[in-house]
């Protein structure tokens, strides 16, 4: 049985709600990543910020990334997975919420991230294709 901590990218860096988007962007560049978990004052996960979030929710709206805080643009309930969760649980969480990155938590601490690239390295082609179909297919229309 493969578990989350076996396929994750270990040592994920995170930022606080009070960090600026400029700081987040510089850290993303330095780490060569497209997303960072965001924690609150008690080091609890409160969201994930992506490079796309910075562009669409700050820059495109004429805000200054040196002044805009990460906590101002994170939204929704953060999704995460326990480090010992089975890879099937990882896939279910990512597919059901249509997310491409998933923080991995062990003993209430962030220990890594699972991305599409991590899945591509560890999943058989058929399982990866099924995952991609769930993530990239158009969302169902709700009336």
């Amino acid at each position: 049985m493969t578990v989350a901590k076996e396929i994750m990218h270990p040592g994920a860096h995170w930022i606080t709600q009070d960090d600026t988007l400029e700081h987040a962007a510089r850290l993303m560049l330095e780490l060569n990543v497209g997303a960072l978990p965001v924690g609150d004052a008690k080091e609890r996960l409160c969201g994930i910020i992506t490079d796309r979030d910075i562009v669409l929710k700050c820059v495109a709206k004429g805000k200054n990334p040196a002044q805009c805080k990460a906590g101002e643009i994170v939204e929704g309930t953060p999704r995460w997975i326990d480090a010992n969760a089975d890879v099937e649980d990882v896939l279910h969480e990512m597919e059901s919420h249509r997310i491409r990155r998933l923080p991995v938590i062990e003993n209430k601490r962030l220990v890594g991230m699972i991305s599409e690239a991590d899945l591509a390295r560890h999943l058989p082609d058929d399982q990866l294709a099924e995952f991609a179909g769930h993530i990239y297919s158009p969302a169902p229309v709700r009336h």
Side-chain angles (χ1 to χ4, degrees):
M1 174 176 85
T2 303
V3 296
K5 66 182 168 187
E6 295 172 337
I7 65 171
M8 72 180 188
H9 182 82
H13 288 76
W14 62 284
I15 60 172
T16 70
Q17 291 175 308
D18 294 326
D19 282 324
T20 66
L21 299 184
E22 179 180 48
H23 171 74
R26 289 179 193 268
L27 189 55
M28 286 179 192
L29 176 64
E30 177 184 320
L31 299 171
N32 193 31
V33 298
L36 292 168
V38 179
D40 66 13
K42 295 183 180 181
E43 296 186 358
R44 291 180 301 205
L45 182 67
C46 61
I48 293 179
I49 188 168
T50 67
D51 47 7
R52 181 176 167 86
D53 290 333
I54 294 170
V55 170
L56 297 180
K57 296 177 182 177
C58 177
V59 176
K61 292 185 175 184
K63 297 179 183 177
N64 182 345
Q67 295 174 341
C68 190
K69 307 286 186 191
E72 295 174 37
I73 68 168
V74 293
E75 53 189 48
T77 303
R79 308 308 307 176
W80 56 273
I81 196 82
D82 185 87
N84 294 306
D86 183 81
V87 71
E88 291 295 330
D89 296 329
V90 170
L91 290 172
H92 174 75
E93 187 70 16
M94 293 176 81
E95 289 171 1
S96 64
H97 296 285
R98 299 176 69 94
I99 55 177
R100 294 167 178 81
R101 299 168 183 97
L102 188 62
V104 180
I105 306 292
E106 187 171 47
N107 299 322
K108 299 182 180 180
R109 304 297 253 181
L110 176 70
V111 294
M113 289 278 279
I114 296 174
S115 69
E116 293 170 301
D118 298 315
L119 295 177
R121 283 191 294 275
H122 293 92
L123 295 179
D125 289 345
D126 60 331
Q127 202 171 18
L128 186 62
E130 184 179 336
F131 168 78
H134 287 285
I135 294 294
Y136 292 106
S137 64
V141 177
R142 295 189 177 144
H143 298 281

